[in-house]
Amino acid sequence: MRDLGKPPLLAPSLLSADFSKLGSEIAEVEKLGVTWLHLDVMDGHFVPNMTIGPVVVESLRSKTNAILDCHLMVDHPEKFIPWFAKAGADVITVHAEATKDANALIQMIRKSGCRAGISVKPKTPVESIEALLPSLDLVLVMSVEPGFGGQSFIPDSLQKVKWLAQKKKEKNLSFLIEIDGGINTTTAQAAQVAGVEVYVAGSAVFGTNDRKLAVEQMNQAIRGMK
């Protein structure tokens, strides 16, 4: 398994990139020091949208050395895990709400050679995954309802982050705390204070004309710099 790097980490979401030129979009942010790329995988069932599949991940794997952070917003994630692992994913995150046996999925992801993550929707109590924390590499807190980019940040999501940060410290655990949804320079600062370590930002990076300035400002925000 690849080293994920030292937090804080900015993970631009390709959901907001120009899909007609993904290669150049990725190259541009990599030149700016980005080491993670977040890929939103939606099946049109678990969430009301459809996006990329493993073929796209496989194509990108040959074009980038970045950590490919694959967020599976899908029903029956056990069917998808082998495909994305084979395609070259580094991190595979599944939803707690999509399975009755999250532990089995975590073990499946690990055996496939990838880092394992669990995500929770805004209405799902984060305490419901407490027993899984020791076996996780990442916990993804959704700060919007999953399915579409460009939504407004849900402030209450930071209470989940604070709880995770406390449990991580109390139990001396190593999972990364990631947040996704409505992340910009303002919300990233609040998330940084709460304890977030990986920041998924879509339109705040790929939705801007000046990518260099956007990445610089986001890096300042996630490092607690004003």
Side-chain angles (χ1 to χ4, degrees):
M1 296 182 189
R2 294 177 64 194
D3 179 54
L4 299 181
K6 185 178 179 180
L9 296 160
L10 176 62
S13 171
L14 295 183
L15 187 63
S16 296
D18 185 340
F19 273 56
S20 70
K21 52 179 183 179
L22 278 182
S24 61
E25 292 276 79
I26 289 170
E28 183 177 3
V29 295
E30 276 197 295
K31 288 178 181 178
L32 299 173
V34 167
T35 59
W36 276 51
L37 294 169
H38 188 80
L39 294 90
D40 292 294
V41 179
M42 309 180 195
D43 64 355
H45 296 281
F46 183 74
V47 292
N49 196 2
M50 294 183 70
T51 54
I52 65 171
V55 173
V56 175
V57 175
E58 183 177 13
S59 177
L60 295 179
R61 181 72 287 166
S62 65
K63 304 295 183 184
T64 178
N65 290 320
I67 295 296
L68 296 183
D69 175 29
C70 295
H71 176 197
L72 306 189
M73 290 170 273
V74 299
D75 284 332
H76 307 293
E78 66 278 1
K79 296 180 180 179
F80 292 78
I81 290 168
W83 297 345
F84 281 91
K86 185 178 180 180
D90 293 294
V91 181
I92 296 178
T93 298
V94 296
H95 267 268
E97 303 88 356
T99 180
K100 293 181 179 179
D101 192 351
N103 188 60
L105 294 183
I106 293 167
Q107 298 309 314
M108 180 183 290
I109 294 169
R110 283 279 182 82
K111 288 179 181 177
S112 74
C114 298
R115 304 282 185 173
I118 289 289
S119 182
V120 290
K121 291 182 178 182
K123 294 179 181 178
T124 300
V126 72
E127 294 83 359
S128 65
I129 64 166
E130 183 171 2
L132 301 173
L133 296 181
S135 60
L136 290 170
D137 297 295
L138 179 145
V139 177
L140 171 55
V141 174
M142 292 302 302
S143 44
V144 298
E145 288 293 339
F148 294 92
Q151 298 183 64
S152 296
F153 182 79
I154 300 173
D156 286 350
S157 61
L158 295 183
Q159 296 304 315
K160 294 181 180 180
V161 171
K162 292 176 182 178
W163 183 88
L164 286 166
Q166 181 179 349
K167 290 298 177 181
K168 180 177 179 177
K169 183 177 180 180
E170 286 178 357
K171 299 184 179 182
N172 193 29
L173 300 176
S174 60
F175 64 87
L176 293 171
I177 303 172
E178 183 175 36
I179 196 162
D180 182 5
I183 298 299
N184 53 39
T185 53
T186 300
T187 55
Q189 287 179 335
Q192 186 271 333
V193 173
V196 170
E197 295 163 302
V198 183
Y199 303 75
V200 178
S203 56
V205 174
F206 286 117
T208 65
N209 293 322
D210 191 338
R211 303 284 172 75
K212 183 175 185 294
L213 179 61
V215 170
E216 287 177 352
Q217 290 180 336
M218 284 299 302
N219 278 329
Q220 289 177 349
I222 69 177
R223 287 172 171 78
M225 301 165 59
K226 295 183 178 180

